[in-house]
Amino acid sequence: MTKDNTAVNTAREYYNSFDADTFYYTVWGGEDLHVGTFRKPEEDIFTASRRTVKNLASLAKPITEKTKVLDMGSGIGGSARYLAKTHGCRVTAFNLSEVENDRNKKMNKEQSLDHLIDVKEGNFENINFDDETFDIVWSQDAILHSGNREKVLAEALRVLKKGGEMIFTDPMQTEDCYEEYLDPILQRILLESLATPEFYCKTAEQLGMKVHRYVNQPQCLVNHYAKVLEDTKTKEDELIKQGVSKTYIQNMKKGLEHWVIGGKYGHLTWGMFHFEKQA
């Protein structure tokens, strides 16, 4: 099995698990499974996560009913629903977890958005769509799970129309990250590395994309994972009653602590990217 396939299968198995599906749906606010943008400590995760979606959408050209969006690593589809409901655009939610995809479809139907959102199973290292299909390739905190991030960006470029935009976020390591901060995280998520902001920007340029901006917001990572850790502790009994294993919860708390510490000491970061396919 190749490194790429190992990373893909690891991510699929993890997000298909009962523990992970129940944890993220319960703790992460029920819609968005990505880093939030907190303005006040007392804000809930749903509010902060939805603010990130709005901030990311503001980087794009005006989104209209004619805009076709590919959401790579769409999770349970919170961002897709926001974009479809707010702008009336068509969104393809592309995700490798069958469990998350089933929840996504159910929520789309419940919110009367299933006519605007197509949920497709697959991984973003091999996107099964024709060249120049989408106006926007969107992704939030998903590309880190790839074993071949260069290929993910190349695939995004391929399916974008000329003048189309790639807009995404990702948790990353800094260029001078100390191994002792990074290793516990990599061991937990079973990856060999995290990307850096420089990697994404340089790779995009090498592929021929124009780098419009990178908005570095490491504090968002710290604030978000600290809040998730706090809520995990608060909702621990509820999670156990729902059937989430105590081992999973304990490992999650340890993992969240590593993210918070790494971010506080400047070894981990997070931010928003905006690239464009040259006409």
Side-chain angles (χ1 to χ4, degrees), residues 24-218:
Y24 286 109
Y25 184 73
T26 302
V27 175
W28 234 267
E31 275 282 341
D32 302 300
L33 309 183
H34 53 75
V35 171
T37 305
F38 287 84
R39 287 183 178 170
K40 298 178 291 184
E42 60 269 22
E43 281 188 332
D44 58 76
I45 292 174
F46 172 84
T47 300
S49 296
R50 186 45 48 96
R51 184 176 293 118
T52 297
V53 179
K54 294 178 181 178
N55 290 345
L56 200 56
S58 71
L59 299 180
K61 300 170 185 175
I63 303 173
T64 70
E65 294 178 358
K66 295 181 180 180
T67 304
K68 295 181 67 177
V69 180
L70 175 67
D71 184 359
M72 298 194 313
S74 52
I76 60 174
S79 299
R81 284 186 288 278
Y82 171 83
L83 293 170
K85 184 176 182 179
T86 304
H87 302 285
C89 58
R90 292 298 302 262
V91 184
T92 299
F94 193 65
N95 195 58
L96 53 70
S97 167
E98 298 93 334
V99 172
E100 288 183 335
N101 290 343
D102 287 344
R103 189 185 288 276
N104 189 354
K105 292 175 185 177
K106 180 181 178 182
M107 295 177 74
N108 294 340
K109 188 172 184 179
E110 289 172 348
Q111 297 181 35
S112 299
L113 292 169
D114 50 324
H115 65 295
L116 291 175
I117 302 171
D118 295 320
V119 180
K120 300 293 185 182
E121 182 183 335
N123 81 82
F124 39 45
E125 293 170 5
N126 294 286
I127 301 174
N128 54 345
F129 290 98
D130 293 336
D131 297 357
E132 300 185 11
T133 298
F134 298 98
D135 300 289
I136 295 174
V137 170
W138 175 291
S139 185
Q140 289 184 261
D141 307 341
I143 302 177
L144 80 158
H145 291 295
S146 171
N148 190 342
R149 300 179 187 107
E150 297 94 335
K151 190 173 183 182
V152 175
L153 266 62
E155 280 287 271
L157 177 65
R158 181 183 65 78
V159 300
L160 275 174
K161 298 176 183 177
K162 291 183 173 63
E165 301 166 284
M166 183 178 185
I167 300 173
F168 70 101
T169 64
D170 214 33
M172 297 163 284
Q173 66 183 80
T174 56
E175 288 289 341
D176 56 353
C177 176
Y178 292 170
E179 289 183 2
E180 57 262 39
Y181 288 93
L182 186 60
D183 285 351
I185 292 171
L186 297 179
Q187 290 172 14
R188 170 160 170 73
I189 58 181
L190 301 177
L191 291 173
E192 294 183 0
S193 68
L194 293 177
T196 64
E198 291 82 359
F199 164 83
Y200 281 131
C201 291
K202 287 182 179 179
T203 300
E205 289 177 337
Q206 290 169 358
L207 290 170
M209 284 193 274
K210 180 178 181 180
V211 177
H212 279 291
R213 73 196 79 179
Y214 165 62
V215 184
N216 190 42
Q217 296 181 305

Side-chain angles (χ1 to χ4, degrees), residues 195-261:
T196 64
E198 291 82 359
F199 164 83
Y200 281 131
C201 291
K202 287 182 179 179
T203 300
E205 289 177 337
Q206 290 169 358
L207 290 170
M209 284 193 274
K210 180 178 181 180
V211 177
H212 279 291
R213 73 196 79 179
Y214 165 62
V215 184
N216 190 42
Q217 296 181 305
Q219 194 58 43
C220 286
L221 182 143
V222 175
N223 292 343
H224 183 82
Y225 282 105
K227 181 64 174 177
V228 173
L229 177 58
E230 176 187 325
D231 284 8
T232 300
K233 293 176 179 177
T234 301
K235 297 180 179 181
E236 185 165 351
D237 290 341
E238 177 186 347
L239 289 166
I240 292 173
K241 287 180 181 178
Q242 291 184 69
V244 179
S245 71
K246 293 182 180 180
T247 299
Y248 178 90
I249 295 171
Q250 292 305 312
N251 288 338
M252 176 60 71
K253 288 191 292 187
K254 290 179 182 177
L256 291 167
E257 288 172 355
H258 290 310
W259 281 104
V260 172
I261 293 171

